[in-house]
Amino acid sequence: QSALTQPASVSGSPGQSITVSCTGTSRDDGGYTYVSWYQQHPGKAPKLIIYDVSKRPSGVSDRFSGSKSGNTASLTISGLQTEDEAVYHCSSYTSRSSVWVFGGGTKLTVL
Amino acid sequence: EVQLVESGGGLVQPGRSVRLSCAASGFTLNDYAMHWVRQAPGKGLEWVSSISWNSGNIDYADSVKGRFTISRDNANNALYLQMNSLRAEDTAFYHCARDRRWLQSGACDNWGQGTLVTVSS
């Protein structure tokens, strides 16, 4: 159950765009892999912002988008706002092995 | 309003047991898979265990397999985690989380605030 690999930190200025990568989201067991992204502010519970690689739950800003290429999933945040400053966790759930793994989390600083 | 409220945490000695509960309200529990996810203070998220809507599919992380048992009582809107043979490395906030689907997919759209389990002598 190897963890996914994310950068420890990223930063950007208000209005800019940033991308957070997440490596290790492909499995060789033939099952379907669900990729999700969570936002977590200090002292708060995680919040789902992307699921099924690129879908947004109702109420999540369209400034958040997800994609996947090969073994790497990516979260892009456009038009950075100060309230986007948080830790972002990627995760993947593989249906065949029934294992859910998380990345180590990426701290986003909005300068 | 969907709410998940965990309870049962506290200080426990290594090797002892504790049972966590998660009270669900504002939705029909038996429409969703449920998960336990833990987070050691200052660390990342770690999946612990998952259970499908009817308890037919149950999964555990290798780190807790054989020691922890997940269960649910749909009639009483509750999720549980029985934790045995506790170790210092089990110290963490334990969150229950609701999956978007009735089978596990790791897309959890509602989380509880967590209950802290501290394993120490």
Side-chain angles (χ1 to χ4, degrees), chain A residues 48-64:
Chain A
L48 181 67
I49 56 173
I50 295 288
Y51 69 100
D52 292 358
V53 175
S54 60
K55 297 177 182 176
R56 277 187 310 275
S58 174
V60 173
S61 171
D62 59 4
R63 298 186 299 104
F64 295 90

Side-chain angles (χ1 to χ4, degrees), chain A residues 13-66:
Chain A
S13 299
Q16 288 185 333
S17 294
I18 62 95
T19 296
V20 181
S21 62
C22 175
T23 302
T25 57
S26 289
R27 295 288 184 265
D28 298 328
D29 59 8
Y32 186 82
T33 299
Y34 299 91
V35 176
S36 300
W37 290 87
Y38 293 88
Q39 177 193 61
Q40 188 177 27
H41 288 106
K44 300 293 187 182
K47 174 187 176 183
L48 181 67
I49 56 173
I50 295 288
Y51 69 100
D52 292 358
V53 175
S54 60
K55 297 177 182 176
R56 277 187 310 275
S58 174
V60 173
S61 171
D62 59 4
R63 298 186 299 104
F64 295 90
S65 62

Side-chain angles (χ1 to χ4, degrees), chain A residues 1 34 36 38 40 43 45-46 48 51-52 89 91 93 98-100 102 104, chain B residues 35 37 39 45 47 59-62 100-101 104-108 111-113:
Chain A
Q1 298 175 349
Y34 299 91
S36 300
Y38 293 88
Q40 188 177 27
L48 181 67
Y51 69 100
D52 292 358
H89 307 272
S91 76
Y93 185 92
S98 300
V99 169
W100 190 13
F102 287 91
Chain B
H35 306 265
V37 175
Q39 187 170 32
L45 301 172
W47 168 66
D59 306 305
Y60 298 97
D62 286 346
R100 288 179 57 89
R101 300 179 167 95
Q104 297 91 312
S105 72
C108 291
W111 294 64
Q113 282 301 113

Side-chain angles (χ1 to χ4, degrees), chain B residues 13-86:
Chain B
Q13 292 180 328
R16 303 299 290 267
S17 300
V18 70
R19 188 194 198 203
L20 305 184
S21 299
C22 172
S25 61
F27 67 101
T28 303
L29 185 64
N30 64 8
D31 285 344
Y32 300 92
M34 297 293 294
H35 306 265
W36 286 99
V37 175
R38 68 186 180 185
Q39 187 170 32
K43 302 297 184 182
L45 301 172
E46 180 188 10
W47 168 66
V48 174
S49 182
S50 302
I51 186 168
S52 63
W53 68 284
N54 64 350
S55 305
N57 290 321
I58 290 176
D59 306 305
Y60 298 97
D62 286 346
S63 58
V64 306
K65 201 171 294 183
R67 299 188 299 123
F68 290 10
T69 302
I70 191 172
S71 62
R72 62 192 294 162
D73 181 347
N74 287 338
N76 290 300
N77 297 311
L79 176 73
Y80 303 102
L81 186 68
Q82 177 67 41
M83 307 165 62
N84 299 332
S85 304
L86 283 163

